[in-house]
Amino acid sequence: MSNSLTGGVRVRADNGKFYDIEATDFELAESGRRHLGDGEYQFERLYVANLWTDNVNIEVRFEVASRNGMVRAYVPTVVDATYIEDDLEEVLVDEDEGSN
């Protein structure tokens, strides 16, 4: 089992153009447990996508945290562009499915 993203993000670059960054453009940049105190931990994942086109470099970061069966996805942060909307979602993927 592993985690993967679905959906995408729409941004507007400083040149005025709109760009759609798909979930497949994201890579898992960091993951690990963070101690919250009093014996509580949460597992955090940071996905990053970079788009270089039309003389612009756009970076999108998407953070997900899970604790006690609950998953929280934060609004993506965008560098060198304006966030418009997203439908990003982290899903659990069964890597053994279909490998019979």
Side-chain angles (χ1 to χ4, degrees):
M1 296 280 204
S2 67
N3 296 2
S4 181
L5 293 181
T6 62
V9 178
R10 175 164 267 227
V11 299
R12 185 179 68 237
D14 294 339
N15 64 9
K17 293 183 180 180
F18 289 88
Y19 297 94
D20 294 314
I21 301 171
E22 301 299 323
T24 54
D25 297 324
F26 284 82
E27 293 184 9
L28 182 62
E30 297 177 18
S31 67
R33 286 181 3 154
R34 185 174 81 153
H35 186 253
L36 302 174
D38 294 330
E40 293 286 328
Y41 290 87
Q42 73 179 17
F43 191 69
E44 299 176 340
R45 291 156 310 282
L46 174 65
Y47 297 92
V48 177
N50 288 290
L51 174 67
W52 291 279
T53 186
D54 299 327
N55 294 320
V56 296
N57 178 15
I58 300 169
E59 179 180 277
V60 181
R61 295 170 167 257
F62 181 60
E63 185 177 350
V64 179
S66 55
R67 178 176 143 220
N68 298 330
M70 300 294 292
V71 176
R72 179 177 181 169
Y74 298 90
V75 173
T77 56
V78 180
V79 177
D80 293 332
T82 302
Y83 169 85
I84 302 298
E85 65 184 352
D86 79 276
D87 64 350
L88 283 173
E89 185 176 6
E90 186 183 56
V91 295
L92 190 60
V93 176
D94 185 353
E95 295 170 340
D96 295 329
E97 187 174 300
S99 63
N100 296 345

